[in-house]
């Protein structure tokens, strides 16, 4: 069972600053239960890290910036940018009441956390919506404002909200918003479709199949789940009678949506520094998750991360008077123990963008270009 929820609300743009530490041969594994341990982890896993950062005062860093890595839910910033653009242009009304049955139709019961505490379940609970243990609303006719779906997508990393917005806005709108922010052709897929490919591997194209084909298959499965009650009834029996193995899950992760740190960084940077109503709307939503972790002297911390087994993908902006710092970090080959240590990772991340010393230390790593 995937357990993204706790990480996605907690993982922040972790410390590119870690790369300032030299790697040590034959050293004990870093203790990532502390921020300092995460710094050591980065130094010991340089090949597993892509980082792009801008302190906001002319100092910039890049490490493996163009390497394609798993994006996970960090790509939801694209959905948010498209939603904000549509609201700003008057194409959609953020107060529009959305029927919960339509939102739930994009939630294939599993794949977003432990039963009873998954992302969608947590989002509905946050909204005061009674639901079952799988996060399905007890009253599908109940309605919530469209804005709350956008907020749930970021605050709880709700996959169903992202898929609803993608279906509602359309890929041209999402691609246009990403391109405007400097990220051409992001790897857009239905999260529910990818989850169904995990649960029903017999539907998955073979390894090596072009991304366009896999995307089409996953998107079709997502639409089938949304529209076919008979198919919905098959999901839970399949999951419990043929649960994915560790090996199949890791293989599945490797075939999910990918992209370079440069694209994710460009969009975060555009939203953090952009003028106009759309960027301001996006900033308001991105600031929700870490509102209680804004360091002294800063105005806000904007965050959207992603996680899958072995993978952490992070986008962070720190807004302060006179500057906006942005950092993107994409990690692979993360152990289960390290995966669970998200709180000290947050502390290391925010510190790296909050202080000049933490950021300038990155340039001394020898693996980054200032």
């Amino acid at each position: 069972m995937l357990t993204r929820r706790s990480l996605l609300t907690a993982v922040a743009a972790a410390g590119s600053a870690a790369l300032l530490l030299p790697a040590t041969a034959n050293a004990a594994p870093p203790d990532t239960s502390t921020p300092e341990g995460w710094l050591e982890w980065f130094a010991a896993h340089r090949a597993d890290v892509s980082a792009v950062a801008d302190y906001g005062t002319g100092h910039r860093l890049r490490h493996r910036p163009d390497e394609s890595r798993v994006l996970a839910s960090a790509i939801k910033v694209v959905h948010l940018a498209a939603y904000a653009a549509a609201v700003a242009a008057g194409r959609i009304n953020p107060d529009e009441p959305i029927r919960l049955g339509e939102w739930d139709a994009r939630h294939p019961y599993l794949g977003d956390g432990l039963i009873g505490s998954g992302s969608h379940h947590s989002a509905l609970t946050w909204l005061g919506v009674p639901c079952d243990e799988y996060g399905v609303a007890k009253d599908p006719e109940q309605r919530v404002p469209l804005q709350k779906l956008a907020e749930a997508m970021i605050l709880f990393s709700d996959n169903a909200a992202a898929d609803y917005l993608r279906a509602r806005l359309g890929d041209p709108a999402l691609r246009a918003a990403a391109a405007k922010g400097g990220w051409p052709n992001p790897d857009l897929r239905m999260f529910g479709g990818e989850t169904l490919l995990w649960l029903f591997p017999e539907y998955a194209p073979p390894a090596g199949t072009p991304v366009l084909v896999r995307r089409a298959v996953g998107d079709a499965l997502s639409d089938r789940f949304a529209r076919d009650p008979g198919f919905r009834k098959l999901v839970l029996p399949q999951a419990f009678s043929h649960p994915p193995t560790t090996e199949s899950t890791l293989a599945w992760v490797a075939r999910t949506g990918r992209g370079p740190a440069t694209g994710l960084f460009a969009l975060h940077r555009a939203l953090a520094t952009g003028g106009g109503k759309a960027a301001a709307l996006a900033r308001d939503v991105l600031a929700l998750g870490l509102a209680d972790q804004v360091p002294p002297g800063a105005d806000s911390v904007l965050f959207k991360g992603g996680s899958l087994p072995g993978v952490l993908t992070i986008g962070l902006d720190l807004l302060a008077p006179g500057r906006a710092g942005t950092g993107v970090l994409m990690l692979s080959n993360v152990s289960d123990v390290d995966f669970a240590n998200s709180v000290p990772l947050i502390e290391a991340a925010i510190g790296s963008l909050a202080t000049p010393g933490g950021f300038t230390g990155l340039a001394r790593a020898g693996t980054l270009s200032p």
Side-chain angles (χ1 to χ4, degrees):
M1 180 78 64
L2 300 184
T3 56
R4 297 181 199 160
R5 164 71 179 96
S6 62
L7 193 69
L8 287 170
T9 57
V11 173
S16 317
L19 299 173
L20 62 91
L21 298 176
T24 303
N26 300 319
D31 177 7
T32 56
S33 65
T34 68
E36 295 77 15
W38 272 109
L39 303 184
E40 296 174 2
W41 191 96
F42 286 114
H45 295 81
R46 287 177 179 143
D48 296 325
V49 179
S50 289
V52 181
D54 186 328
Y55 189 70
T57 57
H59 296 85
R60 301 179 181 88
L61 298 171
R62 293 162 64 90
H63 176 74
R64 296 178 178 263
D66 299 314
E67 193 164 325
S68 180
R69 296 186 188 270
V70 172
L71 289 159
S73 288
I75 197 173
K76 289 171 184 169
V77 71
V78 173
H79 303 62
L80 177 63
Y83 166 78
V87 171
R91 294 193 299 272
I92 58 174
N93 179 359
D95 297 322
E96 177 190 346
I98 302 301
R99 181 177 170 273
L100 286 174
E102 296 178 21
W103 185 6
D104 281 347
R106 294 293 174 178
H107 171 55
Y109 307 128
L110 303 170
D112 68 339
L114 296 174
I115 294 173
S117 62
S119 297
H120 190 60
H121 184 284
S122 296
L124 295 189
T125 301
W126 170 65
L127 290 169
V129 174
C131 61
D132 67 17
E133 60 184 339
Y134 298 105
V136 177
K138 293 186 176 179
D139 179 5
E141 299 304 321
Q142 185 176 345
R143 284 161 168 76
V144 296
L146 178 60
Q147 173 71 15
K148 292 304 178 183
L149 272 70
E151 293 175 1
M153 176 180 68
I154 301 301
L155 187 57
F156 298 97
S157 203
D158 181 47
N159 293 336
D163 286 352
Y164 176 90
L165 288 175
R166 182 180 168 212
R168 173 75 179 270
L169 298 171
D171 279 4
L174 269 67
R175 295 192 183 283
K180 183 177 180 181
W183 188 359
N185 298 316
D187 189 354
L188 299 171
R189 309 187 194 187
M190 287 295 190
F191 289 93
E194 288 292 328
T195 297
L196 291 166
L197 288 173
W198 175 58
L199 296 173
F200 292 88
E202 61 269 27
Y203 288 114
T209 299
V211 169
L212 287 175
V213 175
R214 182 182 174 93
R215 179 184 301 134
V217 173
D219 289 359
L221 280 176
S222 176
D223 288 343
R224 182 180 175 187
F225 180 88
R227 299 167 183 168
D228 182 353
F231 181 57
R232 290 188 208 180
K233 292 178 181 179
L234 301 177
V235 172
L236 290 177
Q238 168 75 9
F240 292 123
S241 63
H242 299 89
T245 65
T246 298
E247 293 75 15
S248 67
T249 296
L250 292 176
W252 168 80
V253 167
R255 297 178 192 132
T256 58
R258 305 177 73 92
T262 48
L264 185 58
F265 171 86
L267 183 53
H268 262 270
R269 192 79 186 142
L271 295 177
T273 62
K277 183 178 179 181
L281 289 170
R283 287 194 292 270
D284 287 345
V285 176
L286 289 169
L288 294 173
L290 297 180
D292 61 346
Q293 298 198 41
V294 179
D299 296 324
S300 60
V301 174
L302 315 181
F303 165 71
K304 184 69 200 91
S307 70
L308 288 169
V311 170
L312 303 178
T313 302
I314 297 153
L316 183 81
D317 309 279
L318 188 145
L319 307 186
R323 73 176 182 93
T326 300
V328 162
L329 192 68
M330 305 180 75
L331 314 181
S332 56
N333 295 318
V334 180
S335 72
D336 291 345
V337 171
D338 296 328
F339 190 93
N341 287 328
S342 60
V343 172
L345 181 59
I346 295 171
E347 296 168 356
I350 295 176
S352 71
L353 287 178
T355 66
F359 193 89
T360 55
L362 297 177
R364 298 195 298 268
T367 58
L368 297 173
S369 299

